[in-house]
Coordinates of all heavy atoms in Angstrom, one line a residue:
M1 N 39.9 97.1 -6.3 CA 38.6 96.8 -6.7 C 38.4 95.3 -6.8 O 39.2 94.6 -7.4 CB 38.1 97.5 -7.9 CG 36.7 97.4 -8.3 SD 36.2 98.5 -9.6 CE 35.6 97.3 -10.8
S2 N 37.4 94.7 -6.2 CA 37.0 93.4 -6.3 C 36.5 92.9 -7.7 O 36.0 93.7 -8.4 CB 36.0 93.0 -5.3 OG 35.5 91.7 -5.4
S3 N 36.9 91.7 -8.0 CA 36.4 91.2 -9.3 C 35.2 90.3 -9.2 O 34.8 89.6 -10.1 CB 37.6 90.4 -10.0 OG 37.9 89.3 -9.2
F4 N 34.5 90.4 -8.0 CA 33.3 89.6 -7.9 C 32.1 90.4 -8.1 O 32.1 91.6 -7.9 CB 33.3 89.1 -6.4 CG 34.5 88.3 -6.0 CD1 35.4 88.8 -5.1 CD2 34.7 87.0 -6.5 CE1 36.5 88.0 -4.8 CE2 35.8 86.3 -6.2 CZ 36.7 86.8 -5.3
K5 N 31.0 89.8 -8.6 CA 29.7 90.4 -8.8 C 28.6 89.5 -8.2 O 28.9 88.3 -8.0 CB 29.5 90.8 -10.2 CG 29.5 89.6 -11.1 CD 29.3 90.1 -12.6 CE 29.0 89.0 -13.6 NZ 30.2 88.2 -14.0
K6 N 27.5 90.1 -8.0 CA 26.4 89.4 -7.4 C 26.1 88.2 -8.2 O 26.0 88.2 -9.4 CB 25.2 90.3 -7.3 CG 24.0 89.7 -6.7 CD 22.8 90.6 -6.4 CE 21.7 89.9 -5.7 NZ 20.6 90.8 -5.4
G7 N 25.9 87.1 -7.5 CA 25.6 85.8 -8.2 C 26.8 84.9 -8.5 O 26.7 83.8 -8.8
D8 N 28.1 85.4 -8.4 CA 29.2 84.7 -8.6 C 29.4 83.6 -7.5 O 29.1 83.8 -6.3 CB 30.5 85.5 -8.5 CG 30.8 86.3 -9.7 OD1 30.1 86.1 -10.8 OD2 31.7 87.2 -9.7
R9 N 29.7 82.4 -7.8 CA 30.0 81.3 -6.8 C 31.5 81.5 -6.4 O 32.3 81.6 -7.3 CB 29.8 79.9 -7.5 CG 28.3 79.7 -7.7 CD 27.9 78.3 -8.0 NE 28.4 77.3 -7.1 CZ 27.8 77.0 -5.9 NH1 26.8 77.7 -5.5 NH2 28.3 76.1 -5.1
V10 N 31.7 81.5 -5.1 CA 33.0 81.7 -4.6 C 33.3 80.7 -3.5 O 32.4 80.1 -2.8 CB 33.2 83.1 -4.0 CG1 33.1 84.2 -5.0 CG2 32.2 83.4 -2.9
T11 N 34.6 80.4 -3.3 CA 35.1 79.5 -2.3 C 36.0 80.2 -1.4 O 36.8 81.1 -1.8 CB 35.9 78.3 -2.9 OG1 35.0 77.6 -3.8 CG2 36.4 77.3 -1.9
V12 N 35.8 80.0 -0.1 CA 36.6 80.7 1.0 C 38.0 80.0 1.0 O 38.1 78.8 1.1 CB 35.9 80.5 2.4 CG1 36.8 81.2 3.4 CG2 34.5 81.1 2.3
I13 N 39.1 80.8 0.8 CA 40.4 80.3 0.9 C 41.2 80.7 2.1 O 42.2 80.2 2.4 CB 41.2 80.7 -0.4 CG1 41.3 82.2 -0.6 CG2 40.6 80.0 -1.6 CD1 42.2 82.7 -1.7
A14 N 40.6 81.8 2.9 CA 41.2 82.2 4.1 C 40.1 82.9 4.9 O 39.1 83.4 4.3 CB 42.4 83.2 3.9
A15 N 40.2 82.8 6.2 CA 39.2 83.4 7.0 C 39.8 83.9 8.4 O 40.7 83.3 8.9 CB 38.1 82.5 7.3
G16 N 39.3 85.0 8.9 CA 39.6 85.5 10.2 C 38.9 84.8 11.2 O 38.1 83.9 11.0
P17 N 39.1 85.2 12.5 CA 38.4 84.5 13.6 C 36.9 84.6 13.6 O 36.3 83.7 14.0 CB 39.0 85.2 14.9 CG 39.9 86.3 14.4 CD 40.0 86.2 12.9
E18 N 36.4 85.6 13.0 CA 34.9 85.7 12.9 C 34.3 84.7 11.9 O 33.1 84.5 12.0 CB 34.5 87.2 12.6 CG 34.8 87.6 11.2 CD 36.3 88.0 10.9 OE1 37.0 88.0 11.8 OE2 36.6 88.3 9.7
N19 N 35.1 84.2 11.1 CA 34.6 83.3 10.1 C 35.3 82.0 10.2 O 35.4 81.2 9.2 CB 34.7 83.8 8.7 CG 33.8 85.0 8.4 OD1 32.7 85.0 8.8 ND2 34.3 86.0 7.7
A20 N 35.8 81.6 11.4 CA 36.5 80.3 11.6 C 35.7 79.2 11.2 O 34.5 79.1 11.4 CB 36.9 80.2 13.0
G21 N 36.3 78.2 10.5 CA 35.6 77.0 10.1 C 34.9 77.1 8.8 O 34.2 76.2 8.3
T22 N 35.1 78.2 8.1 CA 34.5 78.3 6.7 C 35.4 78.1 5.6 O 34.9 78.1 4.4 CB 33.8 79.7 6.6 OG1 34.8 80.7 6.6 CG2 32.7 79.9 7.7
V23 N 36.7 77.9 5.8 CA 37.7 77.7 4.7 C 37.3 76.5 3.9 O 37.0 75.4 4.5 CB 39.1 77.7 5.2 CG1 40.1 77.3 4.1 CG2 39.5 78.9 5.9
G24 N 37.2 76.6 2.6 CA 36.9 75.4 1.8 C 35.4 75.4 1.5 O 35.0 74.6 0.5
K25 N 34.6 76.2 2.1 CA 33.1 76.2 1.8 C 32.9 77.1 0.7 O 33.6 78.1 0.4 CB 32.3 76.7 3.0 CG 32.4 75.7 4.2 CD 31.4 76.1 5.2 CE 31.4 75.0 6.3 NZ 30.4 75.2 7.4
T26 N 31.8 76.8 -0.1 CA 31.4 77.6 -1.3 C 30.1 78.3 -1.0 O 29.2 77.7 -0.4 CB 31.3 76.6 -2.4 OG1 32.6 76.1 -2.7 CG2 30.9 77.4 -3.7
G27 N 29.9 79.5 -1.5 CA 28.7 80.3 -1.4 C 28.5 81.1 -2.7 O 29.2 80.9 -3.6
V28 N 27.6 82.0 -2.6 CA 27.2 82.9 -3.7 C 27.3 84.4 -3.2 O 26.8 84.7 -2.1 CB 25.8 82.6 -4.2 CG1 25.4 83.6 -5.3 CG2 25.7 81.2 -4.6
V29 N 28.0 85.2 -4.0 CA 28.1 86.6 -3.7 C 26.7 87.2 -3.7 O 26.0 87.1 -4.6 CB 29.0 87.3 -4.7 CG1 29.0 88.8 -4.4 CG2 30.4 86.8 -4.6
F30 N 26.4 87.9 -2.5 CA 25.1 88.5 -2.4 C 25.3 90.1 -2.6 O 24.5 90.7 -3.2 CB 24.6 88.3 -1.0 CG 23.2 89.0 -0.8 CD1 22.1 88.5 -1.4 CD2 23.1 90.0 0.1 CE1 20.9 89.1 -1.2 CE2 21.9 90.6 0.3 CZ 20.8 90.2 -0.3
Y31 N 26.5 90.6 -2.2 CA 26.7 92.0 -2.3 C 28.2 92.3 -2.3 O 28.9 91.6 -1.5 CB 26.0 92.7 -1.2 CG 26.2 94.2 -1.2 CD1 25.4 95.0 -2.1 CD2 27.0 94.9 -0.4 CE1 25.6 96.4 -2.2 CE2 27.2 96.3 -0.4 CZ 26.4 97.0 -1.3 OH 26.5 98.3 -1.4
D32 N 28.7 93.1 -3.1 CA 30.1 93.5 -3.2 C 30.2 95.0 -2.9 O 29.7 95.8 -3.7 CB 30.7 93.1 -4.5 CG 32.2 93.4 -4.6 OD1 32.7 94.0 -3.6 OD2 32.8 93.0 -5.5
E33 N 30.9 95.4 -1.8 CA 31.0 96.8 -1.5 C 32.1 97.5 -2.3 O 32.5 98.6 -1.9 CB 31.2 96.9 0.0 CG 30.0 96.4 0.9 CD 30.3 96.6 2.3 OE1 31.3 97.0 2.7 OE2 29.4 96.2 3.1
T34 N 32.5 96.9 -3.4 CA 33.5 97.5 -4.3 C 34.7 98.1 -3.5 O 34.8 99.2 -3.1 CB 32.9 98.6 -5.1 OG1 31.7 98.1 -5.8 CG2 33.8 99.0 -6.2
G35 N 35.7 97.2 -3.4 CA 36.9 97.6 -2.6 C 36.8 97.3 -1.2 O 37.8 97.4 -0.5
G36 N 35.7 96.9 -0.7 CA 35.5 96.6 0.8 C 35.2 95.1 1.0 O 35.8 94.3 0.2
E37 N 34.3 94.9 1.8 CA 33.9 93.5 2.1 C 33.0 92.9 1.0 O 32.2 93.6 0.4 CB 33.2 93.5 3.4 CG 34.1 93.8 4.6 CD 35.1 92.8 4.9 OE1 34.8 91.7 5.2 OE2 36.3 93.2 4.8
V38 N 33.1 91.6 0.8 CA 32.2 90.9 -0.1 C 31.3 90.0 0.8 O 31.7 89.2 1.6 CB 33.0 90.0 -1.1 CG1 32.1 89.2 -2.0 CG2 34.0 90.8 -1.8
V39 N 29.9 90.3 0.6 CA 29.0 89.6 1.4 C 28.6 88.3 0.7 O 28.2 88.3 -0.5 CB 27.8 90.4 1.7 CG1 26.7 89.8 2.5 CG2 28.2 91.7 2.4
V40 N 28.7 87.2 1.4 CA 28.4 85.8 0.8 C 27.3 85.2 1.5 O 27.3 85.1 2.7 CB 29.7 85.0 0.8 CG1 29.5 83.6 0.1 CG2 30.9 85.7 0.1
K41 N 26.4 84.6 0.8 CA 25.3 83.7 1.3 C 25.5 82.3 0.9 O 26.3 82.0 0.0 CB 23.9 84.3 0.9 CG 23.6 84.1 -0.6 CD 22.2 84.5 -0.9 CE 21.9 84.4 -2.4 NZ 20.5 84.7 -2.7
G42 N 25.0 81.4 1.7 CA 25.1 80.0 1.4 C 26.2 79.3 2.1 O 26.4 78.1 2.0
I43 N 27.0 80.0 2.9 CA 28.1 79.4 3.7 C 27.5 78.7 4.8 O 28.0 77.6 5.2 CB 29.1 80.5 4.2 CG1 29.8 81.2 3.0 CG2 30.1 79.9 5.1 CD1 30.7 80.4 2.2
D44 N 26.5 79.2 5.5 CA 25.8 78.6 6.6 C 24.4 78.1 6.1 O 24.0 78.4 5.0 CB 25.6 79.6 7.7 CG 26.9 80.1 8.3 OD1 27.7 79.3 8.7 OD2 27.1 81.4 8.3
G45 N 23.8 77.3 7.0 CA 22.4 76.9 6.7 C 21.5 78.0 6.7 O 21.8 79.1 7.2
R46 N 20.3 77.8 6.1 CA 19.3 79.0 6.0 C 18.9 79.5 7.4 O 18.7 80.7 7.5 CB 18.1 78.5 5.2 CG 18.3 78.3 3.8 CD 17.1 78.0 3.1 NE 17.3 77.7 1.7 CZ 16.5 77.4 0.8 NH1 15.2 77.2 1.1 NH2 16.7 77.2 -0.5
L47 N 18.7 78.7 8.4 CA 18.4 79.1 9.7 C 19.4 80.0 10.3 O 19.1 81.1 10.8 CB 18.0 78.0 10.6 CG 17.6 78.3 12.0 CD1 16.3 79.2 12.0 CD2 17.4 77.0 12.9
A48 N 20.7 79.6 10.2 CA 21.8 80.3 10.8 C 21.9 81.7 10.1 O 22.1 82.8 10.7 CB 23.1 79.6 10.7
E49 N 21.7 81.7 8.7 CA 21.7 83.0 8.0 C 20.6 83.9 8.4 O 20.7 85.1 8.4 CB 21.7 82.7 6.5 CG 23.0 82.2 6.0 CD 23.1 82.0 4.5 OE1 22.0 82.0 3.8 OE2 24.2 81.8 3.9
A50 N 19.4 83.3 8.6 CA 18.3 84.1 9.0 C 18.5 84.8 10.4 O 18.1 85.9 10.6 CB 17.0 83.3 9.1
V51 N 19.2 84.1 11.3 CA 19.4 84.6 12.6 C 20.6 85.6 12.6 O 20.6 86.7 13.2 CB 19.6 83.4 13.6 CG1 20.0 84.0 15.0 CG2 18.4 82.6 13.7
K52 N 21.7 85.1 12.1 CA 23.0 85.8 12.2 C 23.3 86.8 11.0 O 24.1 87.6 11.0 CB 24.2 84.8 12.2 CG 24.2 84.0 13.4 CD 25.4 83.0 13.4 CE 25.4 82.1 14.6 NZ 26.4 81.1 14.6
G53 N 22.6 86.5 9.9 CA 22.9 87.3 8.6 C 23.9 86.6 7.8 O 24.4 85.5 8.2
Y54 N 24.3 87.2 6.7 CA 25.3 86.6 5.8 C 26.7 86.8 6.3 O 26.9 87.8 7.1 CB 25.1 87.1 4.4 CG 23.7 86.8 3.8 CD1 23.0 87.8 3.1 CD2 23.1 85.6 3.9 CE1 21.8 87.6 2.5 CE2 21.9 85.3 3.3 CZ 21.2 86.3 2.7 OH 20.0 86.1 2.2
R55 N 27.7 86.1 5.9 CA 29.0 86.3 6.2 C 29.7 87.3 5.2 O 29.3 87.3 4.0 CB 29.8 85.0 6.3 CG 29.3 84.1 7.4 CD 30.2 82.9 7.5 NE 29.8 82.0 8.5 CZ 30.3 81.9 9.7 NH1 31.3 82.7 10.1 NH2 29.8 81.0 10.6
S56 N 30.7 88.0 5.7 CA 31.4 88.9 4.8 C 32.9 88.6 4.9 O 33.4 88.2 6.0 CB 31.1 90.4 5.1 OG 31.6 90.7 6.4
Y57 N 33.6 88.8 3.8 CA 35.0 88.5 3.6 C 35.6 89.6 2.8 O 35.0 90.3 2.1 CB 35.2 87.2 2.8 CG 34.6 86.0 3.5 CD1 33.3 85.6 3.3 CD2 35.3 85.2 4.3 CE1 32.7 84.5 3.9 CE2 34.8 84.1 5.0 CZ 33.5 83.8 4.8 OH 32.9 82.6 5.4
S58 N 36.9 89.8 3.0 CA 37.7 90.6 2.1 C 38.0 89.9 0.9 O 38.0 88.7 0.7 CB 39.0 91.1 2.8 OG 39.8 90.0 3.0
P59 N 38.1 90.6 -0.3 CA 38.2 90.0 -1.6 C 39.4 89.0 -1.7 O 39.3 88.0 -2.3 CB 38.4 91.1 -2.5 CG 37.8 92.3 -1.9 CD 38.0 92.1 -0.4
D60 N 40.5 89.2 -0.9 CA 41.6 88.3 -0.9 C 41.3 87.0 -0.2 O 42.2 86.1 -0.2 CB 42.9 89.0 -0.4 CG 42.8 89.4 1.0 OD1 41.7 89.6 1.5 OD2 43.8 89.7 1.6
Q61 N 40.3 86.9 0.5 CA 39.9 85.7 1.2 C 39.1 84.7 0.4 O 38.6 83.6 0.8 CB 39.2 86.0 2.5 CG 40.0 86.7 3.5 CD 39.3 87.0 4.8 OE1 38.1 87.5 4.8 NE2 39.9 86.8 6.0
L62 N 38.7 85.1 -0.8 CA 37.9 84.4 -1.7 C 38.5 84.1 -3.1 O 39.3 84.9 -3.5 CB 36.5 85.2 -1.9 CG 35.7 85.5 -0.7 CD1 34.6 86.5 -1.1 CD2 35.1 84.3 -0.1
R63 N 37.9 83.0 -3.7 CA 38.3 82.9 -5.1 C 37.1 82.3 -5.8 O 36.2 81.7 -5.2 CB 39.5 81.9 -5.3 CG 39.2 80.4 -5.0 CD 40.3 79.5 -5.4 NE 40.3 78.3 -4.7 CZ 39.4 77.2 -5.1 NH1 38.6 77.4 -6.1 NH2 39.4 76.1 -4.4
K64 N 37.0 82.5 -7.2 CA 35.8 82.1 -7.9 C 35.8 80.6 -7.9 O 36.9 79.9 -8.0 CB 35.8 82.6 -9.3 CG 35.5 84.2 -9.3 CD 35.2 84.7 -10.7 CE 34.8 86.1 -10.6 NZ 34.6 86.7 -11.9
A65 N 34.6 80.0 -7.7 CA 34.5 78.5 -7.6 C 34.4 78.0 -9.1 O 34.0 78.6 -10.0 CB 33.3 78.1 -6.8

């Protein structure tokens, strides 16, 4: 089970190919699927998020900021 909850500030510490270039960036947890993916907003600009949606990571790819 993930220790993240909506509104937590998190930093990306590892990323797969779909999230390349986001290591070291900080965002805010938007949704945690409890044991699954953690959806994070604020990693990309607002326009990119509006078009592509938010990014998701596994809990082991994030740490609290």
Side-chain angles (χ1 to χ4, degrees):
M1 186 170 123
S2 170
S3 61
F4 302 111
K5 62 182 187 282
K6 185 174 182 175
D8 283 349
R9 291 190 55 76
V10 294
T11 301
V12 180
I13 58 172
E18 70 282 356
N19 291 322
T22 63
V23 173
K25 291 189 176 186
T26 300
V28 177
V29 173
F30 181 69
Y31 183 76
D32 181 354
E33 296 179 357
T34 309
E37 296 290 299
V38 178
V39 180
V40 180
K41 66 179 182 175
I43 297 293
D44 298 304
R46 288 185 183 180
L47 180 59
E49 285 183 346
V51 173
K52 296 180 183 177
Y54 301 134
R55 292 187 183 260
S56 62
Y57 298 87
S58 62
D60 64 339
Q61 293 178 318
L62 302 169
R63 70 170 163 80
K64 288 190 178 180

